[in-house]
Amino acid sequence: MTDQISDAAAAAAFHRLVTHLQHRHDAENIDLMGLAGFCRNCLSDWVMEATNEAGGSMTKADARAAIHGMPANEWKTKYQTEATPERLKKMKESVAKNADAS
């Protein structure tokens, strides 16, 4: 059904998602991974891959800065908390479900 979404609508929704993630620092990457099986870093990797496949040139650091709204190391220092065993377990269980989406 995604073929019913125009490229313009998809781009607008993507920009809104990135803006939302840049605003919601309390939604940490490990928690996003635990709930949805993807995080800001995954999204930045997808952006980098799509950019490079389209003939552009983007590094991982550039992509992460674009999605995080700042260099990834700065984001980690400001907002990332401890990855507890419980959070890691939930993340691993969630990521395991991603194989079905490939």
Side-chain angles (χ1 to χ4, degrees), residues 1 5 7 10 28 30 48 52 54-55 62 69 74-75 80 82 86 89 91-92:
M1 300 295 286
I5 303 170
D7 288 346
E28 290 190 51
I30 194 166
M48 178 190 68
N52 294 338
D62 291 340
E74 181 181 338
W75 191 92
Q80 187 168 302
E82 180 184 355
E86 295 81 16
K89 180 179 183 276
M91 178 188 75
K92 288 177 184 175

Side-chain angles (χ1 to χ4, degrees), residues 38-98:
F38 86 100
C39 68
R40 291 168 183 84
N41 293 336
C42 299
L43 187 58
S44 66
D45 289 346
W46 301 337
V47 167
M48 178 190 68
E49 291 166 7
T51 298
N52 294 338
E53 288 171 8
S57 178
M58 180 176 273
T59 67
K60 184 174 284 214
D62 291 340
R64 290 198 174 173
I67 299 302
H68 287 82
M70 64 187 73
N73 287 339
E74 181 181 338
W75 191 92
K76 284 181 184 182
T77 299
K78 288 183 174 184
Y79 303 110
Q80 187 168 302
T81 61
E82 180 184 355
T84 64
E86 295 81 16
R87 292 166 91 188
L88 288 168
K89 180 179 183 276
K90 188 172 181 178
M91 178 188 75
K92 288 177 184 175
E93 290 170 350
S94 179
V95 171
K97 297 176 185 178
N98 289 352

